[in-house]
Amino acid sequence: FRVERTSSGNTGTGFPDEVLSTLNSGLSLEHKDGTHIGITNVIQRLHLLYDEDFSIYFNNLPDGGALVTVVLPYQPINTEVFS
């Protein structure tokens, strides 16, 4: 079973502890007023595309900053689409 793994990080302050806990428990960050929808939207789209065949991990880096890692099933690119 092959997978593709991609990570994106930054050098900011990282996720607040409560946000990190919420994200890693699989709960939505979206508030009733419509804020914090970005990460929730990405996770919903991943579910639509991959059902349960993906993983997403949220971490704070030891020296500051946040890291998000997404693991997806490997799917070869159909090069005919780009011809």
Side-chain angles (χ1 to χ4, degrees):
F1 181 67
R2 291 178 60 185
V3 297
E4 296 288 329
R5 178 185 307 256
T6 187
S7 296
S8 181
N10 65 31
T11 57
T13 58
F15 293 108
D17 290 339
E18 63 194 41
V19 170
L20 192 60
S21 176
T22 299
L23 289 170
N24 284 321
S25 67
L27 299 174
S28 173
L29 282 180
E30 187 175 352
H31 294 163
K32 290 179 183 177
D33 65 359
T35 60
H36 297 288
I37 62 171
I39 291 174
T40 301
N41 191 9
V42 168
I43 294 170
Q44 288 173 346
R45 289 172 186 267
L46 288 169
H47 276 289
L48 288 172
L49 291 168
Y50 299 102
D51 195 30
E52 298 296 322
D53 294 333
F54 76 94
S55 299
I56 188 165
Y57 304 99
F58 302 91
N59 296 288
N60 285 332
L61 299 171
D63 295 328
L67 181 69
V68 178
T69 302
V70 179
V71 181
L72 304 172
Y74 174 76
Q75 295 180 346
I77 294 175
N78 181 351
T79 55
E80 293 176 9
V81 173
F82 300 105
S83 298

